[in-house]
Amino acid sequence: MSKLGIALGGGGARGLAHIGVLKVLERENIDIHAITGCSMGSVIGGLYAYLRDAQEVEDYIFEILNHPVVQELNLESLSENKKDDEGVVDKIAEFIQNRVTALKAINEISIISKEVTKKIFSLLPNPKIESLPVKFSAISTNIMNGEEVNFTSGGLRKIIMASSAIPGIFPPVKIGSSLFIDGNAAESVPVNKVRELGADRVIAVDVTRDIKLTAPLNNAIEVVFRAQDISTYHLSNERLKGADLILKPKVNKLSWADFKFAKKIIKEGELETEKMLPKIKELIDKNYYLLEFEHFLSKLKN
């Protein structure tokens, strides 16, 4: 029997497309052996491994997004799609004005305080991930030595928090003697890590940002964001080589903060998965030894 692994990449609001992917796989009675997530992929993957119901995951996410603690953050003020005539610097200034004073933003390790971060992530369940009904792990980056870590045990809440700690937005998360940040810094789509959970075939869901430049860069902050998008794009392409099948929901034009398009993003995940269903079913039915031979040939080419 095949053991299907799902690798869910990071991308903030774009990562909500993972819900649509899981809804279709569930509807088609496609069994998932293991899920590994990065950043938003860890949030969606962890909730699904816990709830085993994609619609419940969607409902849970909307409860979180509509919670007063999250609403007060006004994350959409950082969206690059908010206003065509508003620059990134203006958005950051508005965000800081809504959350903290400019002086605090300069002196603190993150814009969102540890106290508020704790309140946000307290909305998540907190079982031990090794006890979940679906095998699950989450990727995070050790900011002390740059090492990527695949967490396969520990409390779900803290592991997701570590995998989702966007540098500068959320504070690093202390686990043991180390500090951890968003897994996107080292592993954007954790294809190879899900194989460590016993998956013998892997579907990757890629929601990385489109790097084609469509507008001029107006300031230093936009250059920094642009450089991060390029780095993530190339890192993703390298890691995706290990996937047997890649799903690319049409969300790559959106900002990581475009949560106002949540319903549309989830639908795009559904549409992409429905389109790829023949290939997904072909992958599931493929002979294990033939698949291993194809992996061998792929490594020779790369």
Side-chain angles (χ1 to χ4, degrees), residues 34 36 135 137 139 148 150 152 191-199:
T36 297
K135 287 189 177 182
S137 67
I139 300 297
E148 62 183 31
N150 188 24
T152 58
V191 170
N192 293 323
K193 299 303 182 183
V194 75
R195 294 191 189 277
E196 295 177 3
L197 300 182

PDB file of all heavy atoms in Angstrom, residues 34 36 135 137 139 148 150 152 191-199:
ATOM      1  N   ALA A  34       1.410  11.097   5.782  1.00  0.00           N
ATOM      2  CA  ALA A  34       2.194  12.056   6.567  1.00  0.00           C
ATOM      3  C   ALA A  34       2.129  13.443   5.933  1.00  0.00           C
ATOM      4  O   ALA A  34       1.967  13.585   4.717  1.00  0.00           O
ATOM      5  CB  ALA A  34       3.646  11.601   6.668  1.00  0.00           C
ATOM      6  N   THR A  36       4.241  17.274   6.232  1.00  0.00           N
ATOM      7  CA  THR A  36       5.265  18.154   6.794  1.00  0.00           C
ATOM      8  C   THR A  36       4.982  19.567   6.310  1.00  0.00           C
ATOM      9  O   THR A  36       4.741  19.787   5.114  1.00  0.00           O
ATOM     10  CB  THR A  36       6.683  17.726   6.369  1.00  0.00           C
ATOM     11  OG1 THR A  36       6.952  16.431   6.895  1.00  0.00           O
ATOM     12  CG2 THR A  36       7.725  18.700   6.917  1.00  0.00           C
ATOM     13  N   LYS A 135       0.639  11.337  10.761  1.00  0.00           N
ATOM     14  CA  LYS A 135       2.031  11.696  11.051  1.00  0.00           C
ATOM     15  C   LYS A 135       2.280  13.132  10.596  1.00  0.00           C
ATOM     16  O   LYS A 135       1.919  13.518   9.480  1.00  0.00           O
ATOM     17  CB  LYS A 135       2.986  10.748  10.348  1.00  0.00           C
ATOM     18  CG  LYS A 135       3.048   9.362  10.973  1.00  0.00           C
ATOM     19  CD  LYS A 135       4.170   8.548  10.362  1.00  0.00           C
ATOM     20  CE  LYS A 135       4.288   7.201  11.041  1.00  0.00           C
ATOM     21  NZ  LYS A 135       5.416   6.409  10.492  1.00  0.00           N
ATOM     22  N   SER A 137       5.083  16.691  10.930  1.00  0.00           N
ATOM     23  CA  SER A 137       6.279  17.392  11.399  1.00  0.00           C
ATOM     24  C   SER A 137       6.259  18.802  10.843  1.00  0.00           C
ATOM     25  O   SER A 137       5.522  19.107   9.894  1.00  0.00           O
ATOM     26  CB  SER A 137       7.561  16.661  10.968  1.00  0.00           C
ATOM     27  OG  SER A 137       7.725  16.692   9.563  1.00  0.00           O
ATOM     28  N   ILE A 139       8.863  22.338   9.960  1.00  0.00           N
ATOM     29  CA  ILE A 139      10.210  22.844   9.742  1.00  0.00           C
ATOM     30  C   ILE A 139      10.374  24.207  10.405  1.00  0.00           C
ATOM     31  O   ILE A 139       9.510  25.071  10.316  1.00  0.00           O
ATOM     32  CB  ILE A 139      10.488  22.998   8.239  1.00  0.00           C
ATOM     33  CG1 ILE A 139      10.356  21.659   7.527  1.00  0.00           C
ATOM     34  CG2 ILE A 139      11.868  23.599   7.994  1.00  0.00           C
ATOM     35  CD1 ILE A 139      11.330  20.627   7.978  1.00  0.00           C
ATOM     36  N   GLU A 148      18.394  23.965   9.712  1.00  0.00           N
ATOM     37  CA  GLU A 148      16.971  23.686   9.585  1.00  0.00           C
ATOM     38  C   GLU A 148      16.648  22.451  10.424  1.00  0.00           C
ATOM     39  O   GLU A 148      17.394  21.476  10.436  1.00  0.00           O
ATOM     40  CB  GLU A 148      16.577  23.474   8.127  1.00  0.00           C
ATOM     41  CG  GLU A 148      17.250  22.295   7.444  1.00  0.00           C
ATOM     42  CD  GLU A 148      16.861  22.181   5.982  1.00  0.00           C
ATOM     43  OE1 GLU A 148      16.603  23.211   5.356  1.00  0.00           O
ATOM     44  OE2 GLU A 148      16.848  21.049   5.468  1.00  0.00           O
ATOM     45  N   ASN A 150      13.647  19.651  11.609  1.00  0.00           N
ATOM     46  CA  ASN A 150      12.359  19.026  11.333  1.00  0.00           C
ATOM     47  C   ASN A 150      11.813  18.488  12.657  1.00  0.00           C
ATOM     48  O   ASN A 150      12.225  17.433  13.128  1.00  0.00           O
ATOM     49  CB  ASN A 150      12.535  17.890  10.319  1.00  0.00           C
ATOM     50  CG  ASN A 150      11.212  17.322   9.852  1.00  0.00           C
ATOM     51  OD1 ASN A 150      10.183  17.989   9.901  1.00  0.00           O
ATOM     52  ND2 ASN A 150      11.231  16.075   9.394  1.00  0.00           N
ATOM     53  N   THR A 152       9.574  16.567  14.968  1.00  0.00           N
ATOM     54  CA  THR A 152       8.684  15.409  14.884  1.00  0.00           C
ATOM     55  C   THR A 152       8.072  15.065  16.242  1.00  0.00           C
ATOM     56  O   THR A 152       7.325  14.092  16.347  1.00  0.00           O
ATOM     57  CB  THR A 152       9.439  14.176  14.352  1.00  0.00           C
ATOM     58  OG1 THR A 152      10.557  13.901  15.217  1.00  0.00           O
ATOM     59  CG2 THR A 152       9.954  14.419  12.939  1.00  0.00           C
ATOM     60  N   VAL A 191       9.952  19.058   1.036  1.00  0.00           N
ATOM     61  CA  VAL A 191       9.716  17.807   0.309  1.00  0.00           C
ATOM     62  C   VAL A 191      10.459  16.637   0.932  1.00  0.00           C
ATOM     63  O   VAL A 191       9.872  15.582   1.223  1.00  0.00           O
ATOM     64  CB  VAL A 191      10.128  17.976  -1.165  1.00  0.00           C
ATOM     65  CG1 VAL A 191      10.118  16.630  -1.880  1.00  0.00           C
ATOM     66  CG2 VAL A 191       9.203  18.957  -1.869  1.00  0.00           C
ATOM     67  N   ASN A 192      11.750  16.797   1.132  1.00  0.00           N
ATOM     68  CA  ASN A 192      12.551  15.673   1.625  1.00  0.00           C
ATOM     69  C   ASN A 192      12.251  15.333   3.073  1.00  0.00           C
ATOM     70  O   ASN A 192      12.410  14.185   3.496  1.00  0.00           O
ATOM     71  CB  ASN A 192      14.041  15.969   1.437  1.00  0.00           C
ATOM     72  CG  ASN A 192      14.433  16.026  -0.031  1.00  0.00           C
ATOM     73  OD1 ASN A 192      13.919  15.259  -0.847  1.00  0.00           O
ATOM     74  ND2 ASN A 192      15.317  16.938  -0.377  1.00  0.00           N
ATOM     75  N   LYS A 193      11.807  16.316   3.838  1.00  0.00           N
ATOM     76  CA  LYS A 193      11.537  16.069   5.260  1.00  0.00           C
ATOM     77  C   LYS A 193      10.336  15.156   5.477  1.00  0.00           C
ATOM     78  O   LYS A 193      10.289  14.397   6.445  1.00  0.00           O
ATOM     79  CB  LYS A 193      11.335  17.389   5.996  1.00  0.00           C
ATOM     80  CG  LYS A 193      12.539  18.327   5.951  1.00  0.00           C
ATOM     81  CD  LYS A 193      13.781  17.664   6.503  1.00  0.00           C
ATOM     82  CE  LYS A 193      14.954  18.640   6.497  1.00  0.00           C
ATOM     83  NZ  LYS A 193      16.209  18.011   6.963  1.00  0.00           N
ATOM     84  N   VAL A 194       9.344  15.231   4.581  1.00  0.00           N
ATOM     85  CA  VAL A 194       8.168  14.381   4.760  1.00  0.00           C
ATOM     86  C   VAL A 194       8.517  12.918   4.477  1.00  0.00           C
ATOM     87  O   VAL A 194       7.875  11.999   4.998  1.00  0.00           O
ATOM     88  CB  VAL A 194       6.988  14.863   3.891  1.00  0.00           C
ATOM     89  CG1 VAL A 194       7.176  14.519   2.427  1.00  0.00           C
ATOM     90  CG2 VAL A 194       5.665  14.296   4.411  1.00  0.00           C
ATOM     91  N   ARG A 195       9.555  12.690   3.694  1.00  0.00           N
ATOM     92  CA  ARG A 195      10.007  11.315   3.466  1.00  0.00           C
ATOM     93  C   ARG A 195      10.572  10.710   4.752  1.00  0.00           C
ATOM     94  O   ARG A 195      10.538   9.487   4.934  1.00  0.00           O
ATOM     95  CB  ARG A 195      11.051  11.266   2.350  1.00  0.00           C
ATOM     96  CG  ARG A 195      10.496  11.655   0.978  1.00  0.00           C
ATOM     97  CD  ARG A 195      11.481  11.345  -0.139  1.00  0.00           C
ATOM     98  NE  ARG A 195      11.035  11.906  -1.403  1.00  0.00           N
ATOM     99  CZ  ARG A 195      10.161  11.339  -2.221  1.00  0.00           C
ATOM    100  NH1 ARG A 195       9.649  10.169  -1.896  1.00  0.00           N
ATOM    101  NH2 ARG A 195       9.803  11.922  -3.355  1.00  0.00           N
ATOM    102  N   GLU A 196      11.087  11.572   5.626  1.00  0.00           N
ATOM    103  CA  GLU A 196      11.606  11.089   6.905  1.00  0.00           C
ATOM    104  C   GLU A 196      10.500  10.506   7.786  1.00  0.00           C
ATOM    105  O   GLU A 196      10.768   9.776   8.740  1.00  0.00           O
ATOM    106  CB  GLU A 196      12.311  12.224   7.654  1.00  0.00           C
ATOM    107  CG  GLU A 196      13.562  12.738   6.955  1.00  0.00           C
ATOM    108  CD  GLU A 196      14.200  13.899   7.685  1.00  0.00           C
ATOM    109  OE1 GLU A 196      13.705  14.283   8.773  1.00  0.00           O
ATOM    110  OE2 GLU A 196      15.196  14.434   7.168  1.00  0.00           O
ATOM    111  N   LEU A 197       9.241  10.826   7.457  1.00  0.00           N
ATOM    112  CA  LEU A 197       8.104  10.299   8.208  1.00  0.00           C
ATOM    113  C   LEU A 197       7.560   9.010   7.598  1.00  0.00           C
ATOM    114  O   LEU A 197       6.527   8.506   8.011  1.00  0.00           O
ATOM    115  CB  LEU A 197       6.982  11.345   8.267  1.00  0.00           C
ATOM    116  CG  LEU A 197       7.322  12.676   8.940  1.00  0.00           C
ATOM    117  CD1 LEU A 197       6.095  13.586   8.961  1.00  0.00           C
ATOM    118  CD2 LEU A 197       7.838  12.450  10.353  1.00  0.00           C
ATOM    119  N   GLY A 198       8.281   8.487   6.608  1.00  0.00           N
ATOM    120  CA  GLY A 198       7.889   7.212   6.016  1.00  0.00           C
ATOM    121  C   GLY A 198       7.145   7.309   4.707  1.00  0.00           C
ATOM    122  O   GLY A 198       6.737   6.276   4.154  1.00  0.00           O
ATOM    123  N   ALA A 199       6.957   8.506   4.174  1.00  0.00           N
ATOM    124  CA  ALA A 199       6.265   8.655   2.897  1.00  0.00           C
ATOM    125  C   ALA A 199       7.114   8.078   1.767  1.00  0.00           C
ATOM    126  O   ALA A 199       8.321   8.330   1.703  1.00  0.00           O
ATOM    127  CB  ALA A 199       5.951  10.118   2.625  1.00  0.00           C
TER     128      ALA A 199
END
